[in-house]
Amino acid sequence: RTLNFVKISMSRARSTRVVEPSADHTATVIMCHGLGDTADGWHDPCMMWAQTLSHVKFVLPTAPQQPVTLNMGMRMPSWYDIVGLTDRASETCDGIEDSRATIQAL
């Protein structure tokens, strides 16, 4: 069995990791991590998937560091401010529009 090696690039300015396809590029997956995680948390799984999905480019952005109300205002990677875990439908999700714009710009 032959393993294909993939090229990896990382932009420090945006903290985005990219796993380049080793075959003709026909698909892209943008993987957004969860609260408190970073692109690094998904890098190894994407490297494994890239061995089988050699046509796929994996883009792994890291959310900005910002205070999260749910965690007593502690700064951490977060796509938006999470206020609580009960009825989240009524939350304003401060920062989510900035995150949407960042992801769309990828």
Side-chain angles (χ1 to χ4, degrees), residues 67-103:
V68 176
T69 303
L70 175 70
N71 291 342
M72 297 185 288
M74 189 180 334
R75 293 181 64 80
M76 62 186 56
S78 176
W79 297 108
Y80 61 95
D81 185 25
I82 300 172
V83 176
L85 295 176
T86 52
D87 183 14
R88 293 180 57 192
S90 63
E91 288 188 21
T92 59
C93 300
D94 292 338
I96 201 166
E97 290 302 319
D98 292 336
S99 292
R100 180 188 58 78
T102 296
I103 293 165

Side-chain angles (χ1 to χ4, degrees), residues 15-77:
S15 298
T16 299
R17 284 188 174 250
V18 178
V19 178
E20 298 287 352
S22 58
D24 289 339
H25 177 212
T26 60
T28 300
V29 172
I30 299 175
M31 182 72 70
C32 297
H33 62 77
L35 178 63
D37 201 359
T38 66
D40 293 334
W42 284 96
H43 181 253
D44 286 345
C46 287
M47 289 293 293
M48 288 189 297
W49 297 331
Q51 292 176 12
T52 303
L53 303 169
S54 59
H55 63 286
V56 177
K57 176 182 188 175
F58 292 91
V59 180
L60 300 95
T62 294
Q65 291 273 342
Q66 56 189 345
V68 176
T69 303
L70 175 70
N71 291 342
M72 297 185 288
M74 189 180 334
R75 293 181 64 80
M76 62 186 56

